mmCIF file of all heavy atoms in Angstrom:
data_model
loop_
_atom_site.group_PDB
_atom_site.id
_atom_site.type_symbol
_atom_site.label_atom_id
_atom_site.label_comp_id
_atom_site.label_asym_id
_atom_site.label_seq_id
_atom_site.Cartn_x
_atom_site.Cartn_y
_atom_site.Cartn_z
ATOM 1 N N GLU A 51 -20.791 17.669 -29.697
ATOM 2 C CA GLU A 51 -19.377 17.569 -29.300
ATOM 3 C C GLU A 51 -18.948 16.103 -29.182
ATOM 4 O O GLU A 51 -17.825 15.749 -29.578
ATOM 5 C CB GLU A 51 -19.157 18.321 -27.981
ATOM 6 C CG GLU A 51 -17.764 18.194 -27.382
ATOM 7 C CD GLU A 51 -16.627 18.747 -28.253
ATOM 8 O OE1 GLU A 51 -16.899 19.397 -29.283
ATOM 9 O OE2 GLU A 51 -15.455 18.498 -27.891
ATOM 10 N N LEU A 52 -19.826 15.241 -28.664
ATOM 11 C CA LEU A 52 -19.471 13.818 -28.570
ATOM 12 C C LEU A 52 -19.288 13.227 -29.972
ATOM 13 O O LEU A 52 -18.371 12.438 -30.204
ATOM 14 C CB LEU A 52 -20.557 13.046 -27.794
ATOM 15 C CG LEU A 52 -20.625 13.353 -26.288
ATOM 16 C CD1 LEU A 52 -21.863 12.709 -25.667
ATOM 17 C CD2 LEU A 52 -19.366 12.868 -25.554
ATOM 18 N N VAL A 53 -20.148 13.621 -30.910
ATOM 19 C CA VAL A 53 -20.029 13.164 -32.297
ATOM 20 C C VAL A 53 -18.681 13.635 -32.867
ATOM 21 O O VAL A 53 -17.950 12.870 -33.505
ATOM 22 C CB VAL A 53 -21.208 13.683 -33.156
ATOM 23 C CG1 VAL A 53 -20.932 13.497 -34.642
ATOM 24 C CG2 VAL A 53 -22.508 12.990 -32.751
ATOM 25 N N ARG A 54 -18.342 14.896 -32.606
ATOM 26 C CA ARG A 54 -17.065 15.417 -33.103
ATOM 27 C C ARG A 54 -15.890 14.587 -32.556
ATOM 28 O O ARG A 54 -14.979 14.218 -33.282
ATOM 29 C CB ARG A 54 -16.900 16.883 -32.697
ATOM 30 C CG ARG A 54 -15.715 17.584 -33.345
ATOM 31 C CD ARG A 54 -15.195 18.786 -32.566
ATOM 32 N NE ARG A 54 -14.704 18.472 -31.232
ATOM 33 C CZ ARG A 54 -13.556 17.853 -30.952
ATOM 34 N NH1 ARG A 54 -12.752 17.461 -31.931
ATOM 35 N NH2 ARG A 54 -13.200 17.599 -29.701
ATOM 36 N N MET A 55 -15.964 14.274 -31.247
ATOM 37 C CA MET A 55 -14.878 13.498 -30.627
ATOM 38 C C MET A 55 -14.744 12.119 -31.285
ATOM 39 O O MET A 55 -13.632 11.658 -31.541
ATOM 40 C CB MET A 55 -15.168 13.297 -29.129
ATOM 41 C CG MET A 55 -15.001 14.538 -28.280
ATOM 42 S SD MET A 55 -15.514 14.130 -26.566
ATOM 43 C CE MET A 55 -15.246 15.689 -25.762
ATOM 44 N N VAL A 56 -15.889 11.483 -31.562
ATOM 45 C CA VAL A 56 -15.851 10.154 -32.192
ATOM 46 C C VAL A 56 -15.254 10.270 -33.586
ATOM 47 O O VAL A 56 -14.367 9.497 -33.968
ATOM 48 C CB VAL A 56 -17.265 9.522 -32.239
ATOM 49 C CG1 VAL A 56 -17.263 8.247 -33.084
ATOM 50 C CG2 VAL A 56 -17.764 9.222 -30.822
ATOM 51 N N LYS A 57 -15.700 11.268 -34.344
ATOM 52 C CA LYS A 57 -15.201 11.418 -35.719
ATOM 53 C C LYS A 57 -13.713 11.751 -35.744
ATOM 54 O O LYS A 57 -13.002 11.396 -36.674
ATOM 55 C CB LYS A 57 -16.001 12.495 -36.463
ATOM 56 C CG LYS A 57 -17.434 12.015 -36.683
ATOM 57 C CD LYS A 57 -18.158 12.751 -37.776
ATOM 58 C CE LYS A 57 -19.372 11.932 -38.186
ATOM 59 N NZ LYS A 57 -20.514 12.744 -38.606
ATOM 60 N N ALA A 58 -13.248 12.438 -34.695
ATOM 61 C CA ALA A 58 -11.826 12.802 -34.615
ATOM 62 C C ALA A 58 -10.989 11.656 -34.048
ATOM 63 O O ALA A 58 -9.775 11.791 -33.880
ATOM 64 C CB ALA A 58 -11.670 14.054 -33.757
ATOM 65 N N GLY A 59 -11.638 10.539 -33.713
ATOM 66 C CA GLY A 59 -10.907 9.393 -33.162
ATOM 67 C C GLY A 59 -10.494 9.572 -31.712
ATOM 68 O O GLY A 59 -9.641 8.858 -31.197
ATOM 69 N N GLU A 60 -11.130 10.524 -31.016
ATOM 70 C CA GLU A 60 -10.755 10.790 -29.620
ATOM 71 C C GLU A 60 -11.579 9.956 -28.635
ATOM 72 O O GLU A 60 -11.277 9.901 -27.447
ATOM 73 C CB GLU A 60 -11.005 12.282 -29.294
ATOM 74 C CG GLU A 60 -10.158 13.236 -30.106
ATOM 75 C CD GLU A 60 -10.656 14.679 -30.020
ATOM 76 O OE1 GLU A 60 -11.455 15.012 -29.118
ATOM 77 O OE2 GLU A 60 -10.251 15.479 -30.887
ATOM 78 N N LEU A 61 -12.690 9.371 -29.110
ATOM 79 C CA LEU A 61 -13.614 8.673 -28.209
ATOM 80 C C LEU A 61 -14.352 7.601 -28.999
ATOM 81 O O LEU A 61 -14.631 7.781 -30.193
ATOM 82 C CB LEU A 61 -14.626 9.702 -27.663
ATOM 83 C CG LEU A 61 -15.699 9.207 -26.703
ATOM 84 C CD1 LEU A 61 -15.073 8.753 -25.377
ATOM 85 C CD2 LEU A 61 -16.728 10.316 -26.409
ATOM 86 N N SER A 62 -14.660 6.486 -28.313
ATOM 87 C CA SER A 62 -15.432 5.424 -28.970
ATOM 88 C C SER A 62 -16.604 5.016 -28.079
ATOM 89 O O SER A 62 -16.492 4.996 -26.850
ATOM 90 C CB SER A 62 -14.539 4.215 -29.221
ATOM 91 O OG SER A 62 -15.332 3.139 -29.673
ATOM 92 N N PHE A 63 -17.714 4.678 -28.719
ATOM 93 C CA PHE A 63 -18.891 4.174 -27.999
ATOM 94 C C PHE A 63 -19.073 2.674 -28.227
ATOM 95 O O PHE A 63 -20.133 2.128 -27.941
ATOM 96 C CB PHE A 63 -20.154 4.942 -28.438
ATOM 97 C CG PHE A 63 -20.259 6.295 -27.785
ATOM 98 C CD1 PHE A 63 -19.525 7.376 -28.261
ATOM 99 C CD2 PHE A 63 -21.078 6.492 -26.670
ATOM 100 C CE1 PHE A 63 -19.604 8.623 -27.641
ATOM 101 C CE2 PHE A 63 -21.157 7.736 -26.049
ATOM 102 C CZ PHE A 63 -20.422 8.806 -26.541
ATOM 103 N N LYS A 64 -18.015 2.008 -28.711
ATOM 104 C CA LYS A 64 -18.138 0.562 -28.993
ATOM 105 C C LYS A 64 -18.441 -0.235 -27.733
ATOM 106 O O LYS A 64 -19.105 -1.260 -27.790
ATOM 107 C CB LYS A 64 -16.838 0.052 -29.623
ATOM 108 C CG LYS A 64 -16.678 0.484 -31.068
ATOM 109 C CD LYS A 64 -15.833 -0.509 -31.854
ATOM 110 C CE LYS A 64 -15.853 -0.166 -33.327
ATOM 111 N NZ LYS A 64 -14.626 0.474 -33.796
ATOM 112 N N ASN A 65 -17.938 0.244 -26.597
ATOM 113 C CA ASN A 65 -18.185 -0.485 -25.339
ATOM 114 C C ASN A 65 -19.088 0.327 -24.408
ATOM 115 O O ASN A 65 -18.927 0.317 -23.197
ATOM 116 C CB ASN A 65 -16.849 -0.836 -24.666
ATOM 117 C CG ASN A 65 -17.003 -1.969 -23.669
ATOM 118 O OD1 ASN A 65 -17.901 -2.814 -23.798
ATOM 119 N ND2 ASN A 65 -16.162 -1.982 -22.651
ATOM 120 N N VAL A 66 -20.036 1.049 -25.010
ATOM 121 C CA VAL A 66 -21.006 1.840 -24.230
ATOM 122 C C VAL A 66 -22.403 1.289 -24.502
ATOM 123 O O VAL A 66 -22.735 0.983 -25.652
ATOM 124 C CB VAL A 66 -20.931 3.340 -24.608
ATOM 125 C CG1 VAL A 66 -22.008 4.137 -23.865
ATOM 126 C CG2 VAL A 66 -19.544 3.905 -24.300
#
Side-chain angles (χ1 to χ4, degrees):
E51 175 62 9
L52 290 171
V53 167
R54 189 204 61 74
M55 287 176 180
V56 171
K57 292 200 163 147
E60 297 166 16
L61 180 67
S62 172
F63 281 80
K64 286 208 172 104
N65 200 27
V66 176

